Amino acid sequence: MISFDDKLQPLLGKKTADALETGLGLTTVGDLLRHYPRRYDERGKLTDIRSLEIDEHVTVQAEVRKCTMRKMASRRGQLTEAVITDGTSELHLVFFGKVAFVAEKELLPGTRGLFAGKVGRYKKNLQLVHPAFEILTPESDGSDFLQAFLPVYPASQHINTWNIANCVKQLLEIWDGVPEDPLPSAFREEHGLIGLEEALRAIHRPESWAQISVAQQRLKWDEALAVQLALAQRRKASTARPAPSCARKSGGILDAFDARLPFKLTAGQVEVGEQIASDLEAPVPMNRLLQGEVGSGKTMVALRAMLQTVDAGRQSAMLAPTEVLAAQHARSLQEMLGDLAQAGQLGGADVATRVTLLTGSMNTAQRRQALLDIVTGEAGIVVGTHAIIQDKVEFHSLGLVVVDEQHRFGVEQRDALRARGSAENPHVLVMTATPIPRTVAMTVYGDLEVSALRELPGGRSPIKTSVVPVREKPAWLDRAFARVREEVAAGHQAYFVCPRIGDEEPAKTDDEDKRPALSVIDVANMLVQGPLRGLRVEILHGRMPPEEKDAVMRAFAANQVQVLVATTVIEVGVNVPNATVMAIMDADRFGVSQLHQLRGRVGRGSAPGLCLLVTEMPEMTATMERLRAVESTLDGFELAQLDLELRREGDILGAAQSGRRSTLKMLSLLRDEDIIAEARVAAQAVVDQDPDLQQHPGLAGMVATLLTEERADFLEKA
Ligand code: ADP
Ligand code: MG
């Protein structure tokens, strides 16, 4: 009886097992059986060579067009060059050493074969250097390649796809299946799923497309369900300990604040505000994600929640991703509160509290005072970076934690936060301006309830975005600089955003035609010497010392600096309503969502904002299409969906710091929304009835495996 946990080595031999482990990290039977084919080639159907991407490990089914051997010019020995084709495009192959002779003999024009290697480029041609190959002949009787469907596996330089296919085949021959399907049969029936053994056999050695599809369905369900079960359990666990119930109070600081608000809350702010207010009153911890465009008024919602907490005699902590942002938040909260933030000071209001900043760059005396204010409870609102949580700063009575810009704040940090409270868990409100597609929200942030602010507060002018294609329309760049000068002349300010700092080694690109990206330092120099001469230009980037960054931000906020040239450090949270223009240099080097996020920095005041996407990309390229999409819509949700379609899923999960990268092999966050949604409902139902999954050992096992993998993944990254 072979089980999933058995090692591969005794079954496949040391050499093969080593190759599977080094290249692909596969060590057990389960690892190999769950190493699914990336795609299937129908026998006789040639691979579309145009679809190959540089640097990818590929397996290509193609026909040999020509093959010649010659002496190498600079070294001893022979070199064989071959050209293979799919009938339209060509791919060049090069072989050295002994293989050069074998290749020359076997790769006769007209022969079909499989060729595996890493795609490179030599001059204008795509090529595979020294690929592994296997000839496909009708006579090769009994060979795997007589199968109608050739599974193509993710492979590595240590082992190619047909060797993997061979290993799987050997394994399947001696495998006698799973003793018990982890999904109970009633459950399978309800959701129309085939058994696990059948699915695994079919996924590796299918006989039809229909078989592949039902097998995929089952295996996707396994992944979706394990994730959703884990999340349902996490939701349950996070409410296991009580939270401080923070009742609304009339005549308190929140009422005082509301009474002097210079504007009306938007309908969305009122609705979400009500929701949060009642969450805070409950003795169960709130775990809420608040999404909303930059400038949609999230901070206002958060501040009102913090004031309700203060009214209840508790403290709030607001966490920002960087010290610069923390300092800025503290300042703007103080401004918004005015004398309501001056407790104990002359002129402070009766109901006042205090906003305390705590950062690593404070001196000892400042820090000691801050810690004292926090532990005594004088500080009703504490602002800092995530270090507040990690350093175990002692609070008098922490009631609410607000996390700004959650994409840098993953599941692990949320867990740490919950683990630190004593008998109580604080309420948690996570805010993000990056709209998250529904499937990602369900999969990565599935332990949070989601709210959204979908409108901008009234009187806000929409941002206008224009692509500036400098190759085709060089004059537009001059026009762009002129616009910046006009804005500055009208008393406004401008950002220039660049992909690179410029104090590092020039970035090397594989692509000969691609120059290094424009840098903050070069662009700033260019601006002060030329188009923006006479204006006060400063730079801001992540490698500057914190005090310097802070000084620059302060000067910019005070309009002593008119033009800020920066990296994406300004992406999150920077709020200078007087800034009205942003030029994003080499805009094609940024992702769609990132561009959208960046441009949210302008048009925060009453004057209209302008965002210029400066690029050398020609029209009619995929990259240009992306920029045109950003130009044409302000709907962040639409752009997030587009981003999801464009990026590889691993990147999205990676960016979300989910640690869920290695665990979703089959499930697609883009295409499998239905499965994810259905699995979520099913998982909740199971956990409601059986929180510890005691009656569902199979499901408990799936969750345990998932958590082990996540943990390993997390440790690897840490
Ligand atoms: P976010 O945190 O979502 O980026 P903020 O809460 O910082 O947005 O709000 C952006 C700006 O809009 C701030 O200057 C804030 O004072 C202002 N603001 C917030 N809510 C309203 C409203 N209902 N009406 C008018 N202005 C508002
Ligand atoms: Mg904000």
Side-chain angles (χ1 to χ4, degrees), residues 298-299 329 404-405 431 573 604:
K298 297 181 298 300
T299 308
H329 271 316
D404 196 14
E405 304 301 346
M431 303 194 292
R604 293 173 73 87

Side-chain angles (χ1 to χ4, degrees), residues 263-266 269 293 295-300 457 460 604:
F263 43 68
K264 266 185 66 172
L265 297 176
T266 64
Q269 284 173 319
E293 300 279 310
S296 59
K298 297 181 298 300
T299 308
M300 179 58 59
R460 195 75 53 78
R604 293 173 73 87

Side-chain angles (χ1 to χ4, degrees), residues 484 488 492-496 556 562-565 578-582:
V484 171
V488 170
H492 294 301
Q493 291 161 280
Y495 297 102
F496 280 78
F556 191 65
Q562 293 144 346
V563 178
L564 190 62
V565 185
N578 190 45
T580 48
V581 201
M582 172 179 287

Side-chain angles (χ1 to χ4, degrees), residues 181-231:
D181 199 307
L183 296 189
S185 61
F187 191 97
R188 292 203 312 263
E189 236 156 75
E190 188 185 338
H191 300 284
L193 302 171
I194 61 170
L196 181 57
E197 179 178 352
E198 188 186 344
L200 285 174
R201 289 192 188 277
I203 207 75
H204 292 291
R205 305 190 60 80
E207 281 158 16
S208 66
W209 287 113
Q211 223 183 29
I212 294 173
S213 134
V214 292
Q216 285 176 337
Q217 184 79 2
R218 160 64 203 248
L219 298 171
K220 285 176 174 182
W221 253 93
D222 282 4
E223 291 177 7
L225 190 64
V227 169
Q228 295 303 333
L229 284 168
L231 289 169

